[in-house]
Amino acid sequence: GASLGYNEWDADKMKALVERLVKEKIFPIARVAVFFDNDLAKRRPELAIKNQNGSLWRNRRGDYWVDPSSREVWEYNAEAAKKAILLGFKEIQFDYVRFPSDGSLKAIKFPFWNESEKSRAETIRSFFEYITNDLRAFKKDVVLSADIFAFTFLVEKDDDLGIGQTVDIALPYFDFISPMIYPSHYSAGNFGFGNPAEHPYEVVSGTLEQGKKFFGGVDPASLDMLKWQKIRPWLQDFNLGAFYGKEFLKKQKEAVYGQGLKSWLFWNPRNNYLKDKY
C-alpha cells in the first residue's frame, strides 16, 4: 500500500511505482488518510479543527485534523482517490475515518460540525455513503476498504467510542473492513494478560471472536459468512511490547484462519517488510 496526500504527488513516479508493484505481482492499494491531514489543515485552515481561541487544534502527537463534516474535505478526499485510481491503484483504503480520539478533546471547536444537528456516528456514515457512491460511479469495479479501531469489535453495537466509528456503520459501504488488531496496543488486563503483546494468537482470535456479534453471533450456523469475509484485519509486524519475528506473525495468521477468515494485512510503520517472515 502507499499512503497518499495528493497535493504534492509526482504523478509519473507514482505511476511507475504502481507499474512496478503489478509487475512484481503485488496488488496495489492506495491508503488515504482522511480526517487526520496535516497538509490540508495547514493549507486550508478554515477546514481545520480549532481550539476555542481560533488557533489550529493538535492531538497528543501534535498533528492537525480537519472537520469530518466538511463537504469540501469529503470532495478533496474523493478527488485524491480518483487520481489514485487513474494512476492504476486497484483498491482505495480509507484510514482515519473518524473524529479525533486523543489530545485535549474538550478544547475542540469545529468549524462545521454541530452535534445538536448530527451525531458523530451519523456524520461518519454520511461520509461513507458519499465517498463510496462517488467512487463507484467513477469506476465500477474499484475495491473500497476502510480501517477501524480493533476496539470497535470489543464494545457493544451502539458504542461509537466517542469518535463516530462502529462496525455496523462501515459494513454496508465497503468491500473490506480492516480492524487494526495490534496486540501491543492493548492495555494490561485485556483478555486477562499482563502484556497482551506477548500473546498474539489469543489477542487476535479473541478480538475476532467478540466481533462476530455484529455478524449474527459466534454460533457458526448463525454467522453471516458473506459479510464476515469482508473482515480483513491489520496485524502487527513491528516490535513493540514484544519481539515480533516469524513465529509471532505466524500465530496471528493462524488466529485469523481459525476464525474462518481468509485474508489479512500486516503493518510495519517503516514499510520494512521481509519476505522470509511470511
Side-chain angles (χ1 to χ4, degrees):
S3 185
L4 302 175
Y6 82 94
N7 185 50
E8 297 179 349
W9 284 1
D10 184 323
D12 290 338
K13 286 185 178 180
M14 189 72 76
K15 187 173 177 60
L17 170 63
V18 175
E19 290 172 353
R20 181 186 173 193
L21 291 173
V22 172
K23 186 178 180 180
E24 298 286 343
K25 295 183 170 57
I26 297 172
F27 186 75
I29 302 174
R31 172 179 168 268
V32 179
V34 182
F35 301 125
F36 155 46
D37 193 327
N38 283 313
D39 174 70
L40 182 59
K42 286 185 282 189
R43 286 192 301 106
R44 297 287 307 280
E46 71 275 16
L47 303 177
I49 293 175
K50 310 291 194 309
N51 291 303
Q52 294 298 324
N53 65 5
S55 62
L56 295 187
W57 179 87
R58 295 187 180 196
N59 67 3
R60 189 179 300 140
R61 201 172 60 180
D63 296 311
Y64 300 106
W65 284 66
V66 290
D67 193 318
S69 68
S70 167
R71 183 77 176 208
E72 279 197 73
V73 172
W74 297 7
E75 292 169 354
Y76 172 86
N77 281 277
E79 289 306 308
K82 289 172 186 175
K83 289 196 175 190
I85 292 168
L86 291 174
L87 289 172
F89 284 97
K90 307 297 184 185
E91 176 178 333
I92 307 297
Q93 179 192 79
F94 295 101
D95 199 4
Y96 292 95
V97 281
R98 57 178 176 81
F99 282 68
S101 62
D102 65 88
S104 183
L105 301 178
K106 291 182 179 179
I108 289 178
K109 183 176 182 180
F110 291 92
F112 301 102
W113 181 65
N114 187 331
E115 186 172 13
S116 65
E117 295 177 358
K118 208 170 208 179
S119 69
R120 287 176 175 83
E122 180 58 23
T123 298
I124 298 302
R125 190 207 65 77
S126 296
F127 167 70
F128 287 162
E129 181 178 48
Y130 166 82
I131 200 86
T132 54
N133 284 343
D134 193 48
L135 294 182
R136 289 196 172 105
F138 182 74
K139 193 174 193 300
K140 187 176 181 181
D141 62 345
V142 65
V143 179
L144 301 176
S145 59
D147 298 338
I148 60 175
F149 278 152
F151 272 64
T152 59
F153 273 36
L154 305 182
V155 297
E156 296 305 312
K157 285 191 173 188
D158 59 351
D159 187 345
D160 73 345
L161 301 173
I163 59 173
Q165 195 173 83
T166 73
V167 178
D168 283 344
I169 285 170
L171 195 61
Y173 298 103
F174 295 98
D175 300 296
F176 292 102
I177 306 294
S178 295
M180 297 174 281
I181 311 179
Y182 309 134
S184 65
H185 287 31
Y186 286 62
S187 302
N190 284 153
F191 297 104
F193 299 119
N195 181 12
E198 295 177 340
H199 304 273
Y201 180 93
E202 292 82 359
V203 171
V204 172
S205 182
T207 300
L208 293 171
E209 183 77 4
Q210 289 198 37
K212 286 179 178 177
K213 61 178 171 284
F214 298 102
F215 301 86
V218 296
D219 182 353
S222 62
L223 189 65
D224 187 331
M225 288 303 296
L226 194 62
K227 289 182 178 179
W228 184 235
Q229 291 304 323
K230 283 188 173 189
I231 300 304
R232 184 186 60 186
W234 276 110
L235 305 175
Q236 179 167 339
D237 182 13
F238 52 89
N239 299 324
L240 184 63
F243 174 70
Y244 271 69
K246 188 172 184 176
E247 185 61 27
F248 271 19
L249 270 61
K250 181 182 177 183
K251 287 181 181 293
Q252 291 177 91
K253 290 190 291 182
E254 289 175 347
V256 172
Y257 299 143
Q259 290 294 343
L261 296 173
K262 300 175 182 177
S263 56
W264 38 263
L265 300 161
F266 274 107
W267 175 251
N268 180 282
R270 296 182 179 177
N271 282 326
N272 186 13
Y273 299 98
L274 302 178
K275 189 175 182 179
D276 63 359
K277 288 180 73 173
Y278 304 103

